Amino acid sequence: MKQLLRAPVHQAIALLTCTVLCLWTGVAVSQDQHGAQSRDALDRMRNRDLQPDRVMDVIGLRQGVIVGEAGASYGYFTFKMSARVGAGGTVYANDIDPEALRTIEQRSASLKVGNVKTVLGEVADPRFPRNDLDMIVVFDCLFEFSSQASWMQNARKYLKPGGRLVIVDPDRSKMAFEHALSRRQVHDFAKQAGYDVVPVDDAFLKTHMIVVLQPTAARVGRLSQSDTSHLSPELTSD
């Protein structure tokens, strides 16, 4: 959905809500039963089962953090992170769907949120506008990416030294979802992309895993100008 060619975001939300309701409740629900309340219903289930506040505690998201979010969709986790990082922090909400980003921009304006900035990315590259992010978060969508290892490798250049990539994704060992990845798969992608795994405790999640990654020191080098041509000039100067 978020890193593949997809339907407009409002259609995708309805389809995803349908899928999640079937997976989490075991009840077949037709798409036409969902309208304006689809997003609210999905959000309530996510609040209950994904415990976003506790997830943010585990990954170390705090006041003042500069975070990039990949595959932000309609902004479920975006605005939770925005509240957590506060006025001193920033959330760069990335998606490849311009309509999804417009949804976030409209909600930001409606709620008078000033620390969320939208970023139109590419399938293989989030195109964040700076290379000093404290953290990049992929919340509930890595399984949808078309080339996880390549994307993760491209994301490295946006992290500051010591920055981390955080994956929160359905765990195949915890839920019967055919598209879910295993923890081993995510670790293998990370190894291919040049990351080490930072252990965290995600046992409180019934359906998802949390994988925290840090670029392997031996593979962190100076980026070429072609890698950073879209970044803010002050962030790429010597």
Side-chain angles (χ1 to χ4, degrees), residues 17-237:
T17 304
C18 232
T19 302
V20 172
L21 282 170
C22 292
L23 285 170
W24 287 351
T25 68
V27 178
V29 182
S30 64
Q31 182 179 342
D32 60 12
Q33 288 176 273
H34 301 283
Q37 296 181 342
S38 295
R39 187 180 302 166
D40 290 339
L42 178 57
D43 285 357
R44 285 194 296 273
M45 285 186 294
R46 283 175 143 183
N47 288 341
R48 180 194 68 206
D49 294 341
L50 300 185
Q51 303 181 57
D53 287 331
R54 191 166 177 185
V55 168
M56 289 188 287
D57 290 341
V58 168
I59 68 176
L61 196 69
R62 61 188 184 278
Q63 290 282 320
V65 165
I66 309 300
V67 58
E69 181 188 15
S73 187
Y74 63 92
Y76 167 76
F77 204 50
T78 308
F79 292 96
K80 295 183 184 303
M81 292 194 294
S82 166
R84 176 64 67 97
V85 303
T90 305
V91 178
Y92 289 94
N94 151 272
D95 208 284
I96 63 169
D97 182 357
E99 184 176 346
L101 299 180
R102 283 193 293 272
T103 298
I104 291 174
E105 290 164 359
Q106 290 165 1
R107 186 175 175 189
S108 293
S110 174
L111 297 175
K112 294 180 171 56
V113 171
N115 66 348
V116 171
K117 302 180 185 299
T118 57
V119 179
L120 183 63
E122 299 173 355
V123 169
D125 192 323
R127 305 287 292 178
F128 291 119
R130 54 194 298 172
N131 60 1
D132 62 345
L133 297 177
D134 295 302
M135 186 181 299
I136 297 174
V137 175
V138 185
F139 190 85
D140 208 17
C141 62
L142 185 71
F143 69 94
E144 297 173 327
F145 287 22
S146 56
S147 183
Q148 289 92 344
S150 295
W151 185 92
M152 291 163 72
Q153 182 175 13
N154 286 330
R156 278 197 350 244
K157 60 179 173 279
Y158 303 112
L159 291 169
K160 73 176 187 180
R164 294 181 172 187
L165 171 62
V166 175
I167 310 296
V168 182
D169 221 47
D171 186 339
R172 183 181 293 175
S173 71
K174 296 181 179 180
M175 65 186 303
F177 176 38
E178 62 177 332
H179 299 296
L181 300 169
S182 68
R183 192 180 301 267
R184 172 52 56 190
Q185 283 178 293
V186 176
H187 286 186
D188 287 345
F189 294 146
K191 184 177 180 180
Q192 294 172 42
Y195 293 88
D196 294 324
V197 177
V198 179
V200 295
D201 183 4
D202 62 2
F204 66 94
L205 291 176
K206 296 180 180 179
T207 59
H208 283 57
M209 60 179 144
I210 301 173
V211 179
V212 176
L213 306 169
Q214 197 162 29
T216 304
R219 294 179 65 173
V220 176
R222 185 174 179 84
L223 300 172
S224 68
Q225 184 61 33
S226 61
D227 290 323
T228 60
S229 58
H230 66 290
L231 298 176
S232 299
E234 64 273 15
L235 295 175
T236 59
S237 60

